[in-house]
């Protein structure tokens, strides 16, 4: 499994011969546009945890889908309902390219030759509380896996310690957010105890401030959890497909 961090919460995940783009939001526009054209055109799916613009930029998604003609969009249900309607310059996504994946549901991408099928499981269901006066929206965290290979968890905007994240091989977690404080982040990591924790949702932090959140998450993580920052190229490989 190869995981490429494309700024903030956007990830390109290559697993079992499949290429999945996760949460292409507004902070990630240039990074996504900078991907190799052949790689983009070969995307199998775009996965969207929730509707907020730092996770879903409609114009960017339209660009991606125009270049990746075979890609389907798999989204949290409220988000899928929005995507089924046009918005601004972005067209409605046709029903045959759009799948709503609610918490508790699974979806399987058929195996490509020589590989295992890729399993997508949605977990959680609600965005973290920002403020009691702000209505909560849906948030489908994800667990991606193929056969006996490593499992990747993606929290979206939630620190809910769902059972599916406990002891998971790799977890992309929100290291800083307007809706969280560092104590909650640490308690979440301690509750789920991933083997490898990768920081995302970090574009809102300044260059000077980001290391504070990362350092505290690292120093106070539970025993057996490695919090690892992204290398210069933003790519981390885990296990073997």
């Amino acid at each position: 499994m190869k995981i490429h961090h494309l700024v903030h919460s956007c990830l390109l995940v290559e697993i079992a011969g499949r290429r999945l783009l996760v949460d292409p939001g507004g902070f990630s526009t240039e990074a996504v546009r900078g991907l190799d054209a052949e790689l983009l055109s070969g995307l199998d799916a775009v996965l969207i945890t929730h509707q907020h613009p730092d996770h879903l930029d409609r114009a960017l998604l339209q660009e991606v889908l125009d270049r990746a003609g075979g890609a389907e969009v798999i989204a949290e249900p409220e988000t899928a309902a929005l995507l089924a309607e046009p918005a601004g310059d972005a067209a409605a996504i046709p029903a045959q390219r759009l799948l709503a994946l609610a918490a508790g549901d699974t979806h399987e991408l058929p195996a490509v030759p020589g590989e295992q099928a890729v399993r997508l499981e949605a977990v959680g269901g609600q965005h973290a509380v920002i403020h009691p006066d702000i209505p909560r929206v849906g948030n489908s965290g994800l667990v991606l896996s193929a056969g006996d290979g490593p499992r990747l968890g993606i929290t979206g905007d939630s620190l809910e310690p769902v059972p599916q994240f406990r002891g998971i091989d790799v977890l992309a977690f929100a290291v800083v957010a307007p809706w969280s404080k560092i104590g909650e982040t640490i308690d979440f990591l301690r509750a789920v105890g991933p083997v490898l924790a990768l920081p995302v949702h970090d574009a809102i932090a300044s260059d000077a401030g980001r290391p504070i959140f990362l350092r505290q998450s690292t120093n106070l993580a539970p025993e057996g959890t490695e919090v690892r920052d992204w290398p210069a190229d933003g790519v981390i490989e885990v296990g073997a497909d």
Side-chain angles (χ1 to χ4, degrees):
M1 178 190 294
K2 181 186 291 186
I3 309 164
H4 188 177
H5 186 216
L6 297 170
V7 183
H8 199 56
S9 290
C10 186
L11 301 171
L12 174 67
V13 181
E14 297 182 64
I15 176 174
R18 296 288 192 176
R19 292 171 176 168
L20 312 175
L21 185 67
V22 183
D23 282 356
F27 290 121
S28 303
T29 300
E30 294 309 312
V32 172
R33 286 175 176 166
L35 290 173
D36 179 83
E38 183 178 351
L39 188 155
L40 259 181
S41 66
L43 285 176
D44 294 287
V46 181
L47 315 180
I48 303 172
T49 61
H50 67 285
Q51 63 189 260
H52 287 162
D54 58 327
H55 294 254
L56 169 61
D57 182 288
R58 288 292 299 268
L60 178 59
L61 177 62
Q62 184 74 56
E63 288 184 36
V64 169
L65 294 179
D66 287 345
R67 298 172 71 177
E72 62 179 327
V73 178
I74 301 172
E76 177 276 328
E78 292 176 14
T79 309
L82 293 174
L83 292 172
E85 301 294 334
D89 294 332
I93 297 177
Q96 63 268 25
R97 296 189 74 179
L98 182 61
L99 173 68
L101 195 67
D105 289 347
T106 61
H107 178 66
E108 188 171 277
L109 301 178
V112 299
E115 301 285 359
Q116 300 278 346
V118 174
R119 184 175 187 268
L120 315 177
E121 179 180 6
V123 300
Q126 280 197 299
H127 192 286
V129 174
I130 302 171
H131 186 275
D133 289 349
I134 300 176
R136 297 175 77 179
V137 298
N139 180 89
S140 289
L142 297 165
V143 177
L144 315 182
S145 61
D148 296 327
R151 295 179 302 131
L152 169 63
I154 299 169
T155 63
D157 278 11
S158 173
L159 294 176
E160 182 182 351
V162 297
Q164 295 88 342
F165 288 157
R166 296 182 189 272
I168 199 165
D169 301 291
V170 189
L171 182 65
F173 75 102
V175 68
V176 56
W179 40 264
S180 70
K181 58 185 180 182
I182 191 62
E184 296 170 337
T185 305
I186 292 161
D187 287 345
F188 168 71
L189 289 176
R190 290 179 173 181
V192 297
V195 177
L196 177 62
L198 303 176
V200 297
H201 206 279
D202 52 357
I204 62 169
S206 68
D207 290 341
R210 182 183 182 276
I212 297 172
F213 296 93
L214 186 62
R215 182 170 62 252
Q216 297 289 12
S217 298
T218 301
N219 292 344
L220 296 170
E223 184 177 353
T225 292
E226 175 194 359
V227 178
R228 187 190 306 175
D229 202 3
W230 302 93
D233 64 359
V235 177
I236 287 177
E237 294 193 53
V238 183
D241 287 341

